Amino acid sequence: MSDCYYELVDEDAAGQRFVATDFVRSTWSAAIQHAAPVSALLVRGLQRCHAREDTRLSRVLVDLLGPVPAEGELWVRTRRERPGKQIELITAEMLAPGPDGTPRPVARA
């Protein structure tokens, strides 16, 4: 058994692909994830997106767009929305399979 929230599988067109472990399960339902692991994975993505030694994260806002499933594959993709010398805007998005099977956003930071 793993002692982490997520295991990195690989990277594909949708982003970095992860599989959640049992540690992410919510107390409300075993079928969905607690918000803390989701937030942590999004922050990991933000920290690695166009990383620079002379910058650091100053504020992170996380929006849950619906229940994040505890089973199946998840993707995290990041992008630099607005580059800058001192201030940048970086976004991270978590995707999970939707009703039709294609990845759709379930959380953003």
Side-chain angles (χ1 to χ4, degrees):
M1 176 179 226
S2 176
D3 62 349
C4 59
Y5 290 126
Y6 303 96
E7 293 176 355
L8 178 62
V9 176
D10 63 10
E11 191 162 346
D12 60 21
Q16 286 190 316
R17 190 165 45 128
F18 294 88
V19 187
T21 65
D22 284 337
F23 293 113
V24 303
R25 296 191 188 278
S26 169
T27 56
W28 301 103
S29 168
I32 62 174
Q33 295 188 34
H34 188 277
V38 172
S39 300
L41 191 57
L42 290 171
V43 168
R44 175 191 180 273
L46 294 172
Q47 290 175 326
R48 292 169 181 240
C49 182
H50 298 282
R52 292 179 13 201
E53 289 294 321
D54 62 336
T55 62
R56 62 178 172 252
L57 291 176
S58 61
R59 184 176 76 162
V60 177
L61 302 172
V62 176
D63 292 317
L64 297 175
L65 306 174
V68 180
E71 299 286 333
E73 298 175 330
L74 302 164
W75 293 265
V76 173
R77 63 181 176 198
T78 59
R79 68 179 173 268
R80 184 168 42 184
E81 298 279 339
R82 186 185 116 9
K85 290 185 179 183
Q86 294 181 358
I87 298 173
E88 295 185 325
L89 177 61
I90 307 291
T91 61
E93 195 169 51
M94 179 181 277
L95 299 99
D100 63 355
T102 59
R104 69 177 180 150
V106 292
R108 284 195 185 111

